[in-house]
Amino acid sequence: EAGVVQSPRYKIIEKKQPVAFWCNPISGHNTLYWYLQNLGQGPELLIRYENEEAVDDSQLPKDRFSAERLKGVDSTLKIQPAELGDSAVYLCASSPGTDTDTQYFGPGTRLTVL
Amino acid sequence: GDSVTQMEGPVTLSEEAFLTINCTYTATGYPSLFWYVQYPGEGLQLLLKATKADDKGSNKGFEATYRKETTSFHLEKGSVQVSDSAVYFCALSTDSWGKLQFGAGTQVVVTP
């Protein structure tokens, strides 16, 4: 069974540019999470989806960050415009919904903002 | 608020040595506790978990016991291998939806 797929794996952009990250969760997983992981720290939840619905986006900086999961499968996280402080690893995770404690993580996208 | 504190790394040890990574937590209610592992270049993987006091989670030779009285969930392995070199994250969840609160991670380096 394929795991959580994320792309791109690495992205380097200039500040003030837009950037988007894509996530394809494990097939059949209804719950999808986006996390931010700064260097030397643990992941922090940005947003959680139950199917198409964002059920917890309290940590998402909505002035520049947006996310969508239009058909309840793939998801995209966008930053516009990017700032230097956004340099981090963006992780996507999914869970089946029957055991929401067990989350399966993708390899992440490492963003560098210059 | 809820939080997880784990020992700072890097922890460097020789193959076949005993490994302990300390983890303590602060939470309202009764959290579920987890250890995740991140190998170089890979995503986080669930290593083990415990959902109530005195439960012991175990996997791949690693163990951790949910200690409510000391609010701890220390990770142990009796004989580490080079392949255990990774970053280990302690985490908790008090949310029925599975929202995880992670510690900062502990890097473990095992040398031959």
Side-chain angles (χ1 to χ4, degrees), chain B residues 13-107:
Chain B
L13 56 168
S14 300
E15 207 166 23
E16 299 184 2
F18 185 87
L19 171 68
T20 299
I21 305 176
N22 291 338
C23 171
T24 57
Y25 67 90
T26 302
T28 55
Y30 302 96
S32 295
L33 301 173
F34 308 82
W35 278 102
Y36 275 81
V37 59
Q38 188 172 31
Y39 298 104
E42 299 184 15
L44 279 76
Q45 302 174 24
L46 179 63
L47 182 58
L48 53 84
K49 69 178 183 181
T51 58
K52 61 182 186 294
D54 299 325
D55 270 1
K56 177 185 285 188
S58 61
N59 186 24
K60 299 181 180 180
F62 290 88
E63 293 183 342
T65 301
Y66 188 141
R67 300 290 188 195
K68 185 179 174 208
E69 64 276 12
T70 55
T71 62
S72 64
F73 193 55
H74 305 321
L75 183 68
E76 297 181 336
K77 186 174 185 182
S79 177
V80 293
Q81 305 300 312
V82 173
S83 58
D84 294 322
S85 297
V87 181
Y88 293 81
F89 292 92
C90 185
L92 66 80
S93 173
T94 57
D95 185 330
S96 60
W97 293 104
K99 179 177 179 178
L100 290 171
Q101 180 77 40
F102 285 91
T106 302
Q107 184 180 9

Side-chain angles (χ1 to χ4, degrees), chain A residues 55-67:
Chain A
V55 296
D56 184 355
D57 63 355
S58 57
Q59 302 302 311
L60 190 72
K62 298 181 182 64
D63 57 337
R64 297 184 300 108
F65 287 65
S66 64

Side-chain angles (χ1 to χ4, degrees), chain A residues 22-109:
Chain A
W22 176 80
C23 174
N24 182 248
I26 293 173
S27 178
H29 282 196
N30 297 324
T31 307
L32 184 145
Y33 309 79
W34 281 103
Y35 287 87
L36 165 68
Q37 185 177 17
N38 286 306
L39 186 64
Q41 298 183 25
E44 300 172 24
L45 181 70
L46 289 172
I47 189 168
R48 178 180 71 215
Y49 282 92
E50 291 294 327
N51 299 304
E52 302 89 354
E53 184 181 359
V55 296
D56 184 355
D57 63 355
S58 57
Q59 302 302 311
L60 190 72
K62 298 181 182 64
D63 57 337
R64 297 184 300 108
F65 287 65
S66 64
E68 61 183 13
R69 193 184 184 199
L70 293 176
K71 297 184 178 179
V73 180
D74 295 3
S75 178
T76 302
L77 178 68
K78 299 178 182 178
I79 308 175
Q80 183 170 9
E83 296 179 352
L84 295 176
D86 296 331
S87 296
V89 176
Y90 292 82
L91 297 168
C92 180
S94 69
S95 66
T98 56
D99 180 1
T100 52
D101 283 348
T102 301
Q103 298 179 26
Y104 300 83
F105 284 79
T109 297

